[in-house]
Amino acid sequence: AGKSSALRALKQALFGIPMQSADDFLHAYQKLRIGMRLRNGAGRELAFVRRKGTKNTLLAADGSTPLPDSALATVLKGMTEAEFTRRFAMDHDELVAGGPVGSGRERRFRSASGRRCQGVGVAGSWT
């Protein structure tokens, strides 16, 4: 439980919380926050908070000091939300759409990740 919520939180922390969101069931829109700490290959860390809004939505770890979007862009190395989703964030429907074993789904995973995936199989439908 919570896999879709965790994936949604990860994507929204990195790329922004959409104006229309179903995530206000516990906290009001104006209080929505997602905190994260990232470390790049060189060991440099960036701790930040993403808030719902239209400007200054990327904040320092203190939750109030605005950060420029470029602070996160350097860690993401130009990766877009679409590319992130394609490479790292396949959801249930996309996994099932990969097809049954032997249908060429290995190519889909390989193209999404840039790597050869072994032992990945979808046998029927998950519920």
Side-chain angles (χ1 to χ4, degrees):
K3 294 176 290 298
S4 295
S5 297
L7 176 58
R8 192 170 57 254
L10 175 61
K11 287 172 59 176
Q12 291 177 7
L14 295 174
F15 302 103
I17 302 170
M19 291 307 300
Q20 297 294 318
S21 172
D23 292 317
D24 67 335
F25 56 89
L26 184 59
H27 302 288
Y29 277 146
Q30 64 270 22
K31 296 196 181 234
L32 287 178
R33 303 282 190 277
I34 305 167
M36 181 175 281
R37 179 181 306 270
L38 299 175
R39 181 180 305 142
N40 69 10
R44 181 171 172 252
E45 288 191 358
L46 174 66
F48 64 93
V49 173
R50 176 73 74 177
R51 71 171 188 83
K52 183 170 177 57
T54 56
K55 65 178 192 171
N56 295 326
T57 63
L58 189 61
L59 307 172
D62 65 12
S64 60
T65 306
L67 290 176
D69 289 335
S70 61
L72 189 54
T74 58
V75 176
L76 293 173
K77 295 185 177 181
M79 182 179 297
T80 65
E81 183 174 3
E83 183 180 0
F84 177 86
T85 299
R86 181 179 58 80
R87 292 180 65 192
F88 304 113
M90 289 182 170
D91 63 15
H92 168 75
D93 293 334
E94 291 169 315
L95 289 169
V96 171
V101 174
S103 67
R105 92 248 175 257
E106 295 90 351
R107 286 188 305 275
R108 177 168 165 72
F109 284 98
R110 195 176 322 135
S111 68
S113 69
R115 294 183 173 173
R116 179 160 164 50
C117 267
Q118 296 179 346
V120 176
V122 177
S125 177
W126 300 337
T127 57

